[in-house]
Amino acid sequence: MRTVRTVAELRAALVPAQRDGLSIGLVPTMGAFHDGHLSLIRRARAECHVVAVSLFVNPAQFDDAGDLRRYPRDERRDATLAAELGIDLLFVPGVDEIYPAGFATTVSVGGVSEGLEGAHRGRGHFDGVATVVAKLLIAAAPDAAYFGRKDAQQVAVVRRLVADLALPVRIVACPTVRADDGLALSSRNALLSPADRERAAALHRALQAIQDAIKADPDDVRAAIAAGQAELSAAGIAAEYLEVVDRETMEPLERVDGAALAVIAARVGGVRLIDNLPVALTDEDHDELSHTDPEVATRQRAPTA
Ligand code: AMP
């Protein structure tokens, strides 16, 4: 594994793979790896000839200076883990490399970015995400880029960005990796006190309660959300939002008749957590929504080495 720190080095390192027609997979991350990140990297490793992982805590997507300051960082540990998984390139740009002096371009995705995280963290959050993802996709020119379903709205924003700019990359959305009690793994979980870490499992219970209620009555989203709220209240947690939304547009739904997600954001002891679960009418739909991606398995060249 080679570590590169500039866009020019990244491009140069990928030239031979492109020349030889090898498939390139990119896994964009902010580091502080946990098993969620590692699952994306493993998937990329299994599906692509050459795997690049980026490590960049993107200041532009933080709406809170304290959150950015406290965000866990450990490049050495991340590099060791990435090397163990057999990746080819670790791209670790500094802030000045991504946003050099005079940088004045913002990529802003309308519609799908506006609700939920966009409404609560502010417009700048997804502008920051879209700008850095566009820059990474243009720099690495991967065949496939791997994202986690844990950040469902981010996946929807990235899909919109890629479609609108006609970027020739396949977006692969990977299942959420959870702790035994259901809490979605997140770099921010490390900031929870032991008591808050225990309470935080209520987020997943709330989403499950919604999932169960929708299965029983897909026409009554309001009752389903109330069942979710009850789980949160029992743990003394107030959600920033708890909704059932269309999986692609992220628009709130009043009844479920297709692919939908229950989504949540909540602060637990000052740490902001987000999560989501697919809600669908049958177990089969649910299984399909959670574990597979209709775009995966097509167009993929199997690695030879
Ligand atoms: P982050 O470093 O938090 O920006 O995450 C980098 C990538 O890992 C994003 O595509 C996330 O959606 C994904 N990711 C984060 N947590 C998980 C998880 N628990 N399971 C699967 N993917 C995740």
Side-chain angles (χ1 to χ4, degrees):
M1 182 187 84
R2 213 179 122 199
T3 298
V4 293
R5 297 186 189 273
T6 67
V7 170
E9 283 175 294
L10 176 68
R11 284 216 170 99
L14 290 170
V15 164
Q18 274 145 1
R19 192 193 47 219
D20 295 345
L22 301 179
S23 59
I24 297 170
L26 173 70
V27 186
T29 82
M30 298 203 298
F33 288 166
H34 50 65
D35 281 344
H37 296 111
L38 301 185
S39 73
L40 268 53
I41 296 172
R42 281 195 197 97
R43 174 97 172 251
R45 181 64 291 168
E47 294 182 353
C48 303
H49 295 106
V50 174
V51 176
V53 175
S54 65
L55 212 67
F56 180 61
V57 182
N58 177 28
Q61 72 188 68
F62 283 78
D63 48 303
D64 170 347
D67 188 26
L68 174 61
R69 211 171 33 246
R70 287 191 303 161
Y71 199 84
R73 293 168 169 86
D74 193 343
E75 181 186 325
R76 193 180 301 186
R77 176 175 171 275
D78 290 345
T80 304
L81 290 169
E84 280 170 12
L85 293 183
I87 72 156
D88 301 280
L89 281 170
L90 189 64
F91 177 46
V92 194
V95 173
D96 292 348
E97 179 65 17
I98 297 295
Y99 303 111
F103 190 90
T105 298
T106 299
V107 179
S108 189
V109 178
V112 68
S113 335
E114 283 158 23
L116 307 177
E117 292 299 285
H120 286 265
R121 300 187 68 176
R123 184 81 226 171
H125 171 64
F126 281 122
D127 285 358
V129 169
T131 303
V132 81
V133 169
K135 188 152 185 170
L136 290 169
L137 293 177
I138 291 166
D143 296 277
Y146 294 79
F147 292 86
R149 287 190 196 280
K150 201 211 93 178
D151 299 284
Q153 193 176 9
Q154 175 169 279
V155 170
V157 168
V158 170
R159 285 197 193 284
R160 189 74 256 162
L161 163 82
V162 163
D164 290 354
L165 299 186
L167 297 175
V169 58
R170 197 162 47 81
I171 300 304
V172 182
C174 304
T176 300
V177 178
R178 300 178 178 282
D180 287 345
D181 63 0
L183 179 67
L185 299 190
S186 161
S187 307
R188 289 191 177 84
N189 293 355
L191 306 173
L192 292 165
S193 70
D196 286 336
R197 166 64 192 80
E198 210 165 296
R199 280 197 316 141
L203 271 70
H204 182 243
R205 287 200 298 275
L207 296 174
Q208 279 182 316
I210 294 178
Q211 198 180 55
D212 291 345
I214 295 287
K215 204 170 279 180
D217 184 357
D219 289 332
D220 199 349
V221 164
R222 198 174 293 193
I225 290 174
Q229 290 286 7
E231 287 292 341
L232 294 178
S233 305
I237 295 171
E240 276 185 20
Y241 59 77
L242 180 63
E243 293 189 45
V244 173
V245 299
D246 179 275
R247 190 169 67 144
E248 257 137 56
T249 65
M250 295 283 145
E251 294 282 346
L253 298 172
E254 288 186 357
R255 56 188 302 275
V256 173
D257 56 8
L261 295 173
V263 292
I264 187 169
R267 278 184 194 276
V268 182
V271 180
R272 191 170 184 281
L273 301 174
I274 63 170
D275 198 359
N276 67 86
L277 268 191
V279 292
L281 307 182
T282 67
D283 281 337
E284 255 169 42
D285 289 344
H286 176 241
D287 203 47
E288 194 272 324
L289 287 174
S290 4
H291 299 297
T292 61
D293 188 312
E295 289 172 48
V296 181
T298 57
R299 217 181 75 92
Q300 192 64 54
R301 284 166 288 179
T304 50

